[in-house]
Amino acid sequence: MLTKFETKSNRVKGLSFHSKRPWILASLHSGVIQLWDYRMGTLIDRFDEHDGPVRGVHFHKSQPLFVSGGDDYKIKVWNYKLHRCLFTLLGHLDYIRTVQFHHEYPWIVSASDDQTIRIWNWQSRTCISVLTGHNHYVMCASFHPKEDLVVSASLDQTVRVWDIGALRKKTVSPTDDILRLPQMNTDLFGGIDAVVKYVLEGHDRGVNWASFHPTLPLIVSGADDRQVKIWRMNDTKAWEVDTLRGHTNNVSCVLFHSRQDIIVSNSEDKSIRVWDATKRTGLQTFRREHDRFWNLVAHPEINLLAAGHDSGMIVFKLERERPAFSLSGDSVIYVKDRFIRSFEYSTQKDTQLIQIRRPGSSGLNQGPRTLSYSPSEKAVLICSDVDGGSYELYVIPKDGYGRSDVAQDAKRGVGGSAVFVARNRFAVLEKTSNQILVKNLKNEIVKKSVLPIATDAVFYAGTGNLLCRSEDKVVIFDLQQRIILGDLQTPFVRYVVWSHDMESVALLSKHSIVIADKKLVHRCTLHETIRVKSGAWDDNGVFIYTTLTHIKYCLPNGDCGIIKTLDAPLYLSKIYGNTIFSLDRDGKNCPMIVNSTEYIFKLSLLRKRYDQVMGMIKNSELCGQAMISYLQQKGFPQVALYFVKDERTHFNLALESGNIEKALEAAKKIDEKDYWYRLGVEALRQGNAGIVEYAYQKTKNFERLSFHYLITGKLDKLSKMMKIAEVKNDIMGQFHDALYLGDVQERVQILENVGHLPLAYVTAAVHGFRDIAERLASELGENVPNLPEGKKASLLIPPPPVLSAGDWPLLMVSKGIFEGGLDDTGKEEDEYYEEASADWGESLDIGEADNLQNGDITVVLDKDTPEANDEEGGWDLEDLDLPPDAETPRASKGPSVFVTPTTGMPVSQIWVQKSSLAADHAAAGNFDTAMRLLSRQLGIRNFALLKPLFVDVHLGSHSFLRAFASAPVISLAVERGWSESESPNVRRPPALVYNFSQLEEKLKAGYKATTAGKFSDALRHFMSILHTVPLVVVETRREVDEVKELIIVAKEYVLGLKMELKRRELKNDPARQQELAAYFTHCNLQLPHVRLALQNAMTVCFKAKNLSTAANFARRLLEANPSNENQAKTARQVLQAAERNMTDATELNYDFRNPFVVCGATYVPIYRGQKDFACPYCTARFVPDRHGQLCAVCDLAVVGSDASGLVCSPAQVR
């Protein structure tokens, strides 16, 4: 059984396939009817108007209808397009078991527990006949597929066949008979239009199901006596032919298979059984663990069955329908009806080659599964599932093709898969030992090879190579060298398709396709919701494949699309140009011409063959929203422009591609304010001043227009804008324009007109207009404002623009590959850019503005539309009489569109690419990669302390220049070791603000502070060294060693100083004070500092009466040869005092005889042999509890983390 679809639901009591669409209806015990798409595996709809279980359901053959019958005694007719019940047929008095539409007439037959069968006319919505005779529940009733018969099964242990010929005659008779119909059928139980033809008795218990054979005069029935009976009938009688025994519980349903000579039954014993209808023997049994089966239905058109059970339903096939075939040059070798045949593509000639034997064992799925062909030896290997997997080797005779009707005696063998790997060698998979047996054409083993992975199938992968499949991966195995050439993780692979040149392979799974190269290096993966059936490569390297419903394509980059919809599944074999050759399920070759324009177009775009793209745009009918969105998605909006008819989409694409000319054309056709505004924004971004001006004019956006004229220096137009503002009575606009122009008199006039006399007076007086100032002063009287004394006035006027002519920037470059070449070739030269002349703004000529009434400026603006065909005299050049075949290069039409020049690589990027030093990455501003490097090399996690150093390094490696006011600041990289003699193209590493000599200075300062006893200052210096070292770069290996030595020195001092500062904080714990003083003496310090530490520890212990420990420190101090005589004298005195009483008053955690290191966090000794963890950066040691925490010495790295080590010199990398 090949399960195609499965659902989980309440108990399924009724099923019906749609004749055309991949749909199935399932009626449930809960009262719901579900409509499923079994190809997609989705629930399309649900209908739940029945009250109680729905036991019968059936699709109409041609109308969008289905009928259902339930335990509520109702028959409902539904329209699935309208998603509702159209009407209900009432008449049955008990549960309705089955319902069925007639294949031709508008009839429904229903069977019920009221012991009757009713035939209804669903058009007139009436019952036209009642079939009575059964004396128990009628479990099913169905029409004969061709004749005027009905078969019914009942719990009265009989099967009845009814003749409804009279009913048909009445239905198709002339009008007078129709008028008599009511009288003929007046008696409810005595209608003469349906009579019992046969009563079939033979079952010992109630009969649950009976059905007709689709073509032969046979009936099959199943009953509670656990038997399936076959009955034959003729014109006069019917009789039992045979009984099929095997079910162990009530047989629920039974039917003849429409395409094969088999009977399928299911039962409450939780099994589906398949029987040979001729031999009347069991072929196969499929069992479920927990679910009883209730019904069974066959698809009216294709080889599908469905069965309903306690927890859902399954849609399944009994046998695989894919024909076994193999390509060989210009032909395909395939198996059809027990013959090996050859189909030649060029001549489309089909030839029968030889007959093959029938499988010895009876059963399903015994036919050929795969076929492998060796053209030079004319040998064919056929694999099947016989005996759990076996192969047959046939050799086609060189003459007499197809003449023999006797099957050739093939060489046979057992094996999971068998394929040719050379001219006269084939490989057989032996699954039990997981090895390959290489055999010759005499079926003799030549060689054995153990496979590298557990393999369940092998495929051809080139001469001497095999592609081995396991559950979740495939490998290519070289049989000669016995090595793996490539491997790839994939879903379970069903079929393998190689390209003609064996450079690419497609691995087909149930719902996905993986495309890889010949070494199994992954290229792309496609996922499909519908099952993938087959595939083939075309000559362009495009993979064409089929699903159950479509022929599709897959480009090398993984883009896919639909070529054609299929009515039935096809298995592709070969592709020649636009012709696709395939085999259908009947083994028939089907050549099909398809339109490959779409995928060839996309392939040309992908491969940047723009000449082909342009040719296809001009000559083919490529269009549609999908193509437009594809081009946008792939970054070709300028190409998508030529597919768009809708002006708004055209405008959006033109803006996206920066084609301001096309956007302008579209904006003129749309002529809406919002589109003009967006055009203005884009034109401003591109620096096309003319279009900006035109767009602002169209939107009547006077404020923007005024500012635009100011920055472009068009002061004459700005003065016209001031007059327009006056006409509009826009006081602020008028004042702004006067301010932009520096027109003081106009400003005074405006202020005076609106009544701001003090402001008008101040403006006039400051600018020296004495007569106006005096006139205004006389009007103001006593309210004349006082002018500030001692202040020098300056004229308030904007600076003149640097550039005031034409568009900016002045850099003009040629158009893109598609610009111009794809423009409408029919345009005249002077049509281009008709509105884009340099003097668009001249339309604002408002000579008559003074005569207009305030507020109405439409007259002014209506005159601003430029003349479309304002032709001048031109150059008067004469036409050249050139020969017609001479191609004159055409100049690009219209002004060039500005395309930003490609930027060079920033210096900071070069620094990052060339260096693996954290300091160089920080200097380049790539803090992220610098942190990753430090984390990997030194285990650093706490970057908060390094942030200011990162910023200093970055800023210190750059200098910044101001060009002029309106330009952004220019950043210049500062390089270390730069000289004038070097080539300007050579980039040196960045100059760094931190260097090794600075660290040496800090070290000296730290020593000095330690000697002076300024421990906090000293600690700050040594911590600064530890924090700066990661961002220091040195040149030589010797310097690298010095840097590493410096880290150790700084670590020792930081640890010692922290312990000493901690000791000074402890006032009430003399024992801990002595321990810390003792540990300080074991830090690796400079000798003078060691002496000071020893003197300190000796003093602390002596005062605490720990004389033995104090004597140890005194001894060590004397061994250090103190240069200070006082130190030596004190040590000798302590030693003398201690020798009289060598005891310790307090026990300390300190054993000077046992070597130890001090934990950097807890300040306890870690003696030799005890487990500890180190900081990967400063090498301080810690007790195991501190593993994974921040180092308490350097505050940067994580204790115990993995790190590769300090990298601070290019010499280390080289």
Side-chain angles (χ1 to χ4, degrees), residues 744-776:
V744 180
Q745 260 183 301
E746 187 67 30
R747 275 160 50 201
V748 173
Q749 184 68 46
I750 294 165
L751 291 168
E752 189 179 348
N753 289 347
V754 295
H756 287 297
L757 295 182
L759 280 176
Y761 168 77
V762 171
T763 308
V766 165
H767 290 90
F769 293 101
R770 289 194 181 86
D771 49 346
I772 299 174
E774 286 168 6
R775 179 171 57 78
L776 290 170

Side-chain angles (χ1 to χ4, degrees), residues 49-69:
E49 288 184 26
H50 277 288
D51 187 14
V54 183
R55 297 177 189 273
V57 69
H58 192 243
F59 267 120
H60 194 279
K61 188 177 179 182
S62 56
Q63 298 294 322
L65 304 175
F66 69 89
V67 61
S68 62

